[in-house]
Amino acid sequence: MKLFWALMFTVFYCGYLSQGQGVNSTLSARPSVVNIGCILTLTSNVGKITKLVIQTAVEDINSNPAVLGGTKLNITFLDNNSNGLLWIIEAIEYMETDMVAIIGPQSSVKAHTIAHIANEIHVPLLSFSATDPALSPLQYPFFVRTSPNDMFQMAAIASIVQYYEWKEVVAIYVDNDYGRSGIDALGDQLAISYKAPLKPHATLEEVKDMLAQLAALMESRIIVVHTYAYMGLEIFFQAKSLGMTKSGYVWIATNWLSTIIDTIGPLSSDVMDNIQGTITLRTYIPDSEGKRKFVSRWSDLAKRIDTNSSLGMCTYGLYAYDTVWLLARALDAFFKQGGNISFSRVPIHTTGGLNPYSMNVFDGGKLLLDNILKTNISGVTGLFKFTSDRELYRPEFEVINVIGTGTKKVGYWSNYSGLSVVHPHSLYSTHLPSNHQKLYPIFWPGETRQTPRGWAFPNCGRQLRVGVSIKADLNEYVEHVLGTDTFQGYCIEVFTTAIKYLPDDVRVTYKFFPFRDENSTELVRQITEGVYDAGVGLIGITNNRTKMVDFTPPFMESSLVLVAPFRERGSSTWSFLRPFNARMWCVTGMLFLTIGAAVWILEHRVNDDFRGPVRKQIETIIWFGFLTFFSASNNDNTFRIVSILGRLVHMTWLFAIIIITSNYMANLSSILVAQHPSSLIKGIESLVARNEPIGYLLDTGSTARTHLIQQLHVQESNLIPFNNMEDFAEALRDGPNKKGGVAAVIGYSIYMEQFLSTHCEFVTVGPELSRIGWGFLRCQMQF
């Protein structure tokens, strides 16, 4: 660094000696001419356009004496097409010409170098195209950015990514201050899964190799390109040749692409074919009379560049025009405040002591800088003023979609309203609802309007290693055919069928590997360690596992149930009494007597059949209830009912008889046809109350055991693990009174159904306790 500054100031000093200038140079407070500089890349289209625009702005200002009170601007240009040490020497010599301000440079990289010099000589540096967020006013106080910071452009891109609910992006950028700082700003807003830097002058082969690597290794199909124009088009050309501009990809280009379209459009059909469906941004400049007048002048002005020129106006040109006017207004305020154009030779101090190097420092630089930052103008770009952090007021962008032979505006972005389909200016005075974010439909790569999902399996040229969880006694779900690489079962069919329905761009090859792990925990661990890429089988989706791996939606669910021994209740001599319990038989008998008594009360005064001796009348009351129950009619006329109320009671009783007999016959038929198992255990509550041991299968232990202890408050000492379902049967037969025996076992229904199909002496009891989903899994992506 010392060598660099020594070289700078040696050239600086020698230049002054050759010119024979004195120590001080003082001009009048309101000079006739003020020297300003402009540093551009004149070989670029933007450089050619902005040079002409700046010259036009100077002419407009000089033609109007009211702007600077008769003072003229004298501008000189420096072409910064050189690189390295030569460029630094040229810049030092150029800035030794007593200029009060410099417009430019056009490049963010070179702005870092010149801004250091501007700080030393107190000359404001106004750049309309150096958008690098790292050009901070804290580090470069005399650097003034007169166009929106790339920080806002990256925020707009992040809003687009979040609007479509994509999780991550891949960033391609030029590996210099401009590219790195822009992508760092993007990384502050969203997750970048991979950063792909390119040398500023990367070859076509280097670009192609980088893209091939992205296609092979990266899952994300959202690609953000932040480079220079010449490199950006080469990236799209190579991407097209590699099939990376087809359906499923999303390409987002920063404003370099919209600048190309604005300046040299219409582009050739081949170039347009390469960028079909791409999203790009353009700085939004509201329509105004000043903008319309200036743009209408451009067709005539452009002929100064080349009579055959078809260069169009871009946003950089409009900001360049307003930058000159901003400087003119600030100079006018500077002179009105008594500012004086004077320069002083100031020695430079280094760590080694006082050295004979000196610089020409602008005495009024600080005052002019303050006036630049405080000046507000209404220019061709609209309201032109700075915020307290020295950024342009209300940065706004248009969201552009490349379609066919042109482009379509699909929305806007501002740091106030986010994404919208109306002009941002109309939203500043309104209350924004939470769901106001919106864009018009976009035409995506591959000629589709269906929003891409944003990711695909990387085409890395190798098979996915899929671990297959093998469970004992559950061959109908997963089975490994011994001696072969073949797997079969319900889970395998679900997996292979799902793969068949995947689009071609995400379909992958895979190979199954048997993995015998009864509780699946070891398989999950090995997937996290990269031994396997995915897992298939009956793998329970639990909270702990979802923190380690990503699961598919469950393809099957199962409930936690309790299984216990039962005693069989079949048919017997007294089976005819079993349809009703004792209480029901008592209620039915009481109804016989009650109905008989009610009818007797209503009939004995008017009906001779209900009269006679006391014994006969008691017999009549008892006999009437039973007779009507078994005959359901009175065709024999044994008892004739004549009163209206009596007939009403009799009709109600007949209706009750139909209900009672129907239920009795249904229950009796069921008892006689089927064997009804029953158990003394009615549910988990009865086991907890009696403090009896409960068995569980290790395969579901992580969830079943936790549920029993935490939710159902079962004592841990009462839980007995088993390795397989055959151990279940032996423990259940032994019972809780024998060592190693249990009163019941708990497990998920998918296991218990398999167990009960071969052990008919056991039955499920009580309600379902909880449910779990079974899914496939893969290594969790880190965002």
Side-chain angles (χ1 to χ4, degrees):
M1 192 65 182
K2 292 181 179 179
L3 180 61
F4 166 76
W5 282 108
L7 177 61
M8 278 179 46
F9 296 133
T10 299
V11 176
F12 197 55
Y13 180 67
C14 292
Y16 263 86
L17 291 179
S18 64
Q19 295 174 12
Q21 294 191 11
V23 175
N24 294 305
S25 176
T26 304
L27 303 177
S28 61
R30 177 75 75 160
S32 59
V33 176
V34 174
N35 295 323
I36 61 174
C38 183
I39 303 175
L40 301 172
T41 306
L42 298 179
T43 56
S44 68
N45 289 324
V46 172
K48 294 174 183 178
I49 293 170
T50 52
K51 178 183 179 182
L52 179 56
V53 168
I54 291 170
Q55 288 175 330
T56 303
V58 170
E59 292 172 1
D60 292 344
I61 293 168
N62 289 341
S63 64
N64 185 357
V67 178
L68 284 172
T71 298
K72 304 289 186 180
L73 295 179
N74 178 44
I75 187 166
T76 57
F77 292 89
L78 172 65
D79 185 0
N80 66 350
N81 195 41
S82 304
N83 288 295
L85 182 60
L86 179 60
W87 147 247
I88 297 174
I89 296 173
E90 290 177 350
I92 294 173
E93 292 178 345
Y94 176 72
M95 298 178 73
E96 271 296 289
T97 55
D98 290 353
M99 292 177 290
V100 299
I102 297 175
I103 298 173
Q106 187 177 326
S107 164
S108 293
V109 175
K110 294 178 178 178
H112 280 272
T113 302
I114 298 179
H116 278 294
I117 303 174
N119 288 347
E120 297 297 330
I121 63 176
H122 293 183
V123 172
L125 191 67
L126 294 84
S127 179
F128 56 84
S129 57
T131 53
D132 177 2
L135 288 165
S136 165
L138 296 177
Q139 184 178 6
Y140 306 107
F142 279 85
F143 175 80
V144 181
R145 184 185 290 108
T146 58
S147 64
N149 190 329
D150 272 346
M151 173 180 62
F152 300 110
Q153 183 175 200
M154 297 306 169
I157 292 175
S159 294
I160 295 172
V161 172
Q162 293 161 4
Y163 174 74
Y164 290 106
E165 299 181 347
W166 297 317
K167 291 185 177 181
E168 57 182 10
V169 302
V170 172
I172 301 175
Y173 61 98
V174 59
D175 192 13
N176 58 21
D177 292 332
Y178 162 72
R180 288 191 297 268
S181 298
I183 296 305
D184 287 344
L186 180 63
D188 293 338
Q189 302 284 336
L190 50 75
I192 301 177
S193 63
Y194 185 75
K195 295 180 179 180
L198 287 170
K199 295 187 295 186
H201 297 284
T203 64
L204 293 180
E205 283 301 318
E206 290 173 333
V207 173
K208 187 174 183 178
D209 291 344
M210 179 273 297
L211 290 173
Q213 184 180 17
L214 292 184
L217 301 179
M218 294 297 106
E219 284 194 352
S220 177
R221 290 296 184 260
I222 314 300
I223 303 175
V224 177
V225 183
H226 183 54
T227 64
Y228 296 125
Y230 65 87
M231 181 183 293
L233 293 181
E234 292 295 342
I235 290 173
F236 277 95
F237 172 77
Q238 296 295 339
K240 178 74 174 179
S241 67
L242 293 172
M244 297 178 65
T245 58
K246 62 184 180 180
S247 178
Y249 282 87
V250 175
W251 289 85
I252 303 175
T254 50
N255 61 350
W256 63 264
L257 181 55
S258 63
T259 301
I260 291 177
I261 295 172
D262 291 341
T263 54
I264 62 175
L267 302 176
S268 67
S269 59
D270 291 338
V271 174
M272 292 300 294
D273 189 46
N274 293 340
I275 61 176
Q276 283 298 298
T278 300
I279 300 174
T280 185
L281 298 177
R282 178 195 291 132
T283 306
Y284 173 64
I285 297 177
D287 191 29
S288 65
E289 183 179 356
K291 176 184 174 182
R292 288 192 297 270
K293 287 181 178 180
F294 183 77
V295 172
S296 65
R297 297 169 58 190
W298 178 248
S299 58
D300 293 332
L301 292 173
K303 294 178 181 178
R304 298 187 191 178
I305 302 174
D306 187 350
T307 55
N308 298 321
S309 174
S310 60
L311 291 178
M313 177 53 59
C314 63
T315 56
Y316 288 131
L318 298 176
Y319 278 109
Y321 186 82
D322 278 353
T323 299
V324 181
W325 275 94
L326 172 71
L327 177 58
R329 297 297 186 187
L331 280 169
D332 185 55
F334 171 81
F335 291 134
K336 289 179 179 179
Q337 295 172 9
N340 193 31
I341 305 296
S342 63
F343 296 86
S344 300
R345 180 74 66 181
V346 177
I348 303 300
H349 296 268
T350 67
T351 56
L354 184 63
N355 292 286
Y357 309 132
S358 60
M359 304 182 68
N360 226 23
V361 176
F362 177 32
D363 297 327
K366 185 63 173 64
L367 178 60
L368 178 58
L369 175 65
D370 292 340
N371 280 285
I372 290 173
L373 297 175
K374 293 177 182 178
T375 299
N376 301 333
I377 65 170
S378 294
V380 296
T381 59
L383 180 59
F384 202 97
K385 71 175 185 178
F386 296 96
T387 62
S388 58
D389 54 359
R390 294 176 55 167
E391 300 292 350
L392 280 187
Y393 182 64
R394 290 180 176 175
E396 300 160 347
F397 290 90
E398 298 174 352
V399 183
I400 307 297
N401 186 207
V402 179
I403 302 177
T405 59
T407 61
K408 177 185 177 182
K409 189 186 304 178
V410 295
Y412 302 87
W413 179 91
S414 75
N415 63 337
Y416 168 76
S417 60
L419 296 174
S420 66
V421 293
V422 297
H423 297 159
H425 280 227
S426 62
L427 300 175
Y428 287 114
S429 59
T430 61
H431 175 71
L432 299 176
S434 59
N435 61 345
H436 76 281
Q437 301 284 314
K438 186 178 180 181
L439 289 175
Y440 287 120
I442 289 179
F443 187 85
W444 301 103
E447 300 182 355
T448 178
R449 291 205 179 267
Q450 182 178 0
T451 302
R453 61 181 171 183
W455 64 272
F457 289 111
N459 183 21
C460 54
R462 69 175 182 88
Q463 292 179 323
L464 287 179
R465 296 175 56 86
V466 181
V468 180
S469 179
I470 306 295
K471 310 290 186 184
D473 304 320
L474 290 176
N475 292 340
E476 64 180 277
Y477 293 99
V478 180
E479 181 181 10
H480 181 208
V481 181
L482 294 179
T484 69
D485 293 333
T486 304
F487 292 81
Q488 60 189 20
Y490 177 73
C491 295
I492 301 300
E493 290 186 11
V494 171
F495 180 82
T496 55
T497 303
I499 290 292
K500 292 178 182 178
Y501 280 97
L502 289 175
D504 292 336
D505 58 340
V506 297
R507 195 173 299 172
V508 294
T509 59
Y510 56 89
K511 184 177 181 180
F512 289 134
F513 294 87
F515 193 90
R516 297 188 179 276
D517 178 22
E518 287 300 325
N519 62 6
S520 301
T521 301
E522 181 63 20
L523 176 60
V524 172
R525 186 186 67 80
Q526 292 202 17
I527 289 176
T528 61
E529 294 177 354
V531 178
Y532 299 104
D533 299 304
V536 172
L538 289 175
I539 305 172
I541 304 174
T542 65
N543 288 334
N544 289 336
R545 290 175 180 174
T546 56
K547 296 175 182 177
M548 302 167 60
V549 293
D550 287 334
F551 277 92
T552 65
F555 62 88
M556 186 168 59
E557 289 188 341
S558 183
S559 55
L560 199 62
V561 296
L562 198 64
V563 172
F566 75 91
R567 56 187 179 88
E568 187 175 301
R569 294 179 58 189
S571 59
S572 66
T573 304
W574 298 98
S575 294
F576 70 91
L577 294 177
R578 285 169 53 189
F580 291 158
N581 57 24
R583 180 180 296 180
M584 185 61 187
W585 282 117
C586 292
V587 171
T588 303
M590 291 299 298
L591 284 174
F592 293 157
L593 298 177
T594 302
I595 293 299
V599 173
W600 178 83
I601 292 172
L602 295 172
E603 292 289 325
H604 82 282
R605 294 182 181 179
V606 295
N607 190 340
D608 293 337
D609 292 339
F610 290 86
R611 295 178 181 178
V614 175
R615 180 179 176 180
K616 179 184 178 183
Q617 294 187 45
I618 293 174
E619 292 175 352
T620 299
I621 292 173
I622 297 173
W623 181 244
F624 180 83
F626 281 96
L627 180 64
T628 54
F629 183 82
F630 290 106
S631 65
S633 66
N634 198 13
N635 294 330
D636 59 358
N637 294 321
T638 302
F639 297 105
R640 182 172 53 87
I641 300 175
V642 296
S643 68
I644 295 176
L645 290 177
R647 291 176 178 177
L648 182 61
V649 172
H650 186 223
M651 182 175 61
T652 303
W653 174 235
L654 292 176
F655 181 73
I657 288 173
I658 294 173
I659 297 174
I660 294 172
T661 54
S662 298
N663 278 275
Y664 177 84
M665 294 305 297
N667 290 341
L668 181 60
S669 299
S670 177
I671 291 171
L672 295 177
V673 172
Q675 300 287 328
H676 274 214
S678 65
S679 174
L680 296 176
I681 299 172
K682 303 303 179 183
I684 192 68
E685 294 82 3
S686 61
L687 293 173
V688 174
R690 294 199 296 265
N691 202 29
E692 293 185 334
I694 304 171
Y696 66 91
L697 195 63
L698 280 175
D699 182 51
T700 57
S702 60
T703 52
R705 185 174 183 275
T706 302
H707 183 79
L708 288 172
I709 295 174
Q710 296 183 356
Q711 302 297 326
L712 302 177
H713 309 293
V714 178
Q715 292 186 13
E716 189 173 354
S717 60
N718 289 337
L719 297 177
I720 301 177
F722 294 96
N723 291 321
N724 55 65
M725 290 188 287
E726 284 303 320
D727 294 340
F728 271 180
E730 184 177 351
L732 286 170
R733 293 189 188 103
D734 291 342
N737 296 324
K738 189 174 180 180
K739 184 177 180 181
V742 294
V745 294
I746 192 170
Y748 285 101
S749 56
I750 190 172
Y751 294 89
M752 294 298 101
E753 289 170 2
Q754 184 79 9
F755 174 71
L756 294 176
S757 66
T758 56
H759 298 82
C760 300
E761 69 269 33
F762 308 113
V763 66
T764 58
V765 296
E768 296 179 352
L769 302 180
S770 67
R771 298 187 69 83
I772 191 174
W774 308 93
F776 306 143
L777 66 154
R778 69 162 189 174
C779 182
Q780 193 171 65
M781 298 303 296
Q782 301 296 327
F783 300 132

